Amino acid sequence: MSNIPAAKANIDSRILVQTAAQAAEDKKGADTRILALDAADSGLADFFLITSATNNRQTLAIADEIELRIKREYGIYPNSVEGRRQGEWILLDYIDFVVHVFLAEKRAFYDIERLRKSARPLTPAEFDEELKAALAEKTRASRAKAKPAARKSAPAKAAKKAVAKKTSAKPAKKTSARPAAKKAVAKKSAKKSAKKK
């Protein structure tokens, strides 16, 4: 398995970002932020996940946890990983989103949030709320599409039931006609045999 398949929708990348943010929080990542990048930057990625650590071991632990959790839960590996050896700034590129795990002083020095002024910064909690709202809207839209289809299929189901009743009634008549025909044939043969005697 390699990167995120091209067919994945934006909502899927949001779920992956949410999983990565939760993994960073679980490993005590500090000041975790999600940058929803502007459409002009969307050629680069849809989201940046940025978090800080206090030492090199913690940056490695956060990056490893994010990578492991996304791999375990979704079977997706990062397209590339940079900076793991130094541990000062680890970058995990998942194509639709990029994870940046910084040492606190390196994060202040590079200040990615300032470089991406057009991006909309979100906390993981705000991001969760937006994701829930987007999923609820998607559910309402799919239910609205399903209702007209259900209304159209109701007359079709009634027609199928009527046809099924007719077809089930026809064999019953045939079966009841067969014994009567057999009885008539039996009477005729009995009369013929009586005349011969």
Side-chain angles (χ1 to χ4, degrees):
M1 297 199 145
S2 58
N3 6 330
I4 298 172
K8 286 229 176 249
N10 186 29
I11 204 75
D12 292 336
S13 62
R14 285 177 166 267
I15 291 170
L16 294 173
V17 171
Q18 182 184 36
T19 302
Q22 185 60 49
E25 293 288 317
D26 291 348
K27 288 295 179 178
K28 307 293 186 230
D31 195 24
T32 302
R33 293 271 182 248
I34 299 165
L35 298 181
L37 298 177
D38 189 29
D41 292 334
S42 65
L44 179 63
D46 294 333
F47 302 99
F48 277 179
L49 172 67
I50 303 168
T51 192
S52 300
T54 55
N55 58 47
N56 292 16
R57 283 187 175 185
Q58 189 182 12
T59 60
L60 286 169
I62 292 169
D64 288 345
E65 182 65 21
I66 290 170
E67 190 174 353
L68 180 68
R69 198 171 294 185
I70 291 176
K71 180 174 65 174
R72 188 182 311 139
E73 292 180 20
Y74 304 102
I76 297 172
Y77 294 82
N79 189 42
S80 66
V81 178
E82 306 274 333
R84 191 180 291 275
R85 185 172 291 163
Q86 292 82 14
E88 296 175 349
W89 176 5
I90 300 174
L91 183 137
L92 302 168
D93 182 3
Y94 285 95
I95 298 176
D96 287 343
F97 69 99
V98 179
V99 177
H100 300 272
V101 183
F102 285 102
L103 283 177
E105 59 270 9
K106 292 293 181 180
R107 182 175 180 176
F109 179 78
Y110 289 107
D111 198 9
I112 289 182
E113 292 97 329
R114 182 183 54 80
L115 292 174
R116 300 287 177 196
K117 288 181 182 175
S118 62
R120 194 166 45 96
L122 300 165
T123 64
E126 293 169 339
F127 190 78
D128 287 346
E129 288 302 316
E130 282 191 9
L131 180 62
K132 287 176 185 175
L135 288 172
E137 181 59 34
K138 188 175 180 182
T139 303
R140 280 192 293 273
S142 65
R143 286 181 181 165
K145 287 180 184 176
K147 284 183 182 178
R151 289 178 189 155
K152 289 178 184 176
S153 65
K157 286 180 183 177
K160 284 181 182 178
K161 284 182 182 178
V163 169
K165 285 181 182 178
K166 287 181 183 178
T167 56
S168 65
K170 287 179 183 176
K173 289 179 183 176
K174 288 179 183 176
T175 56
S176 62
R178 285 182 185 164
K182 286 181 182 179
K183 285 181 184 176
V185 170
K187 283 182 183 179
K188 285 182 183 179
S189 63
K191 285 181 184 177
K192 286 181 183 179
S193 61
K195 285 181 184 178
K196 288 180 182 178
K197 290 182 184 178

